[in-house]
Amino acid sequence: MLSPLPVLTINLNNVDIQGAKKSSFPKEPLHPMLAKLIEEPFDREGWIFEIKWDGYRAIAEIKQGSVQLYSRNGVSFLNDYQEIAADLKKIHFEAIFDGEIVVVDSEGRADFNLLQNYRRTKRGNLLYYIFDLLFLQGYDLRSAPLIQRKSLLKLVLPELSHIRYNDHIQQYGIAFYKLAKENRLEGIMAKDINSPYLEGKRSSYWQ
């Protein structure tokens, strides 16, 4: 059973988030931060490792009860993935998320063909895996360290049918990559825990 949807009770004025800035809600669509491709996985302190999902990158905006869900090029996904949009409308605070829209098969593995055909077939389980939090309740978090953004994201994100928190492991990227290969996943993401969110830029902070 899903837990009740929370009303956000965190007073961000009393939360020490390094780099967070009081701000009005961004007026223009945001452009996702991009990663650099590298050939080999690595182990490194101060880095986290996430599953790289085989889907569509998507930014979600929630503001005063209205929802936007759009691609890295600003194209709306609202009509295409109405189940995700409906879940986003159940979140009762202002926020901007970054994540990946996927359709997973019966084994929980993302299947891009299922995603491409989902609007027609409705086959598979449609999910929005959220891995970053860029804005929350009057605070721009893009200059805050990644690990703080993810900790806050995990704290505030409610359990919903089509939305998931994208978890991570720390330090041990080589074993995680091996596990991803054994499970026939697309790959992994490596991210510096102190990384700011460099909107629209490709950076070695993310690999």
Side-chain angles (χ1 to χ4, degrees), residues 186-203:
E186 187 184 25
I188 66 171
M189 293 290 301
K191 298 179 179 180
D192 186 328
I193 64 171
N194 294 309
S195 165
Y197 192 91
L198 302 178
E199 185 192 345
K201 295 182 180 179
R202 193 174 300 278
S203 167

Side-chain angles (χ1 to χ4, degrees), residues 3-12 15 17 62 90-97 130 132-137 141 148-160 163 165:
S3 62
L5 292 175
V7 175
L8 190 62
T9 56
I10 297 172
N11 181 355
L12 294 182
V15 176
I17 305 172
I62 302 164
K90 298 173 184 176
I91 296 176
H92 305 306
F93 51 84
E94 291 191 348
I96 300 178
F97 302 120
I130 297 176
D132 217 327
L133 177 62
L134 314 183
F135 183 92
L136 181 66
Q137 290 291 89
L141 305 177
Q148 290 193 17
R149 300 196 307 270
K150 289 210 69 170
S151 295
L152 192 55
L153 171 63
K154 188 173 185 179
L155 184 64
V156 303
L157 192 66
E159 292 184 54
L160 294 161
I163 292 177
Y165 170 75

